Amino acid sequence: MTDARLRRPTERICERCGRREVWEDGSWRVAVDDGERRAGSVYCIHEWDINGTFLPIEEE
Ligand SMILES: [Zn+2]
């Protein structure tokens, strides 16, 4: 049995400003690397690269 819950993306990175977010407790949160928030630019229209981990269509 395939667990569809594992198909949700758990991390996304903005290709424009480098903002990194992680999926936690039902919402996106800014990732923290070595105590530094990877918030990127507040003026950025974020373009998320989710590295192909997001597969909304279940496989047979
Ligand atoms: Zn951005």
Side-chain angles (χ1 to χ4, degrees):
M1 182 176 151
T2 303
D3 189 344
R5 288 175 301 175
L6 295 177
R7 296 180 179 283
R8 291 181 310 187
T10 56
E11 181 179 291
R12 64 182 184 179
I13 300 172
C14 177
E15 293 180 334
R16 294 168 180 260
C17 70
R19 180 186 178 97
R20 195 156 71 83
E21 297 184 347
V22 291
W23 183 258
E24 226 176 69
D25 300 330
S27 65
W28 289 107
R29 294 162 191 263
V30 177
V32 178
D33 284 338
D34 297 328
E36 186 179 345
R37 285 163 54 85
R38 302 289 298 270
S41 170
V42 293
Y43 302 109
C44 178
I45 302 166
H46 302 304
E47 196 164 291
W48 302 112
D49 174 12
I50 50 180
N51 296 320
T53 53
F54 180 53
L55 299 171
I57 301 170
E58 284 189 51
E59 293 173 14
E60 296 271 329

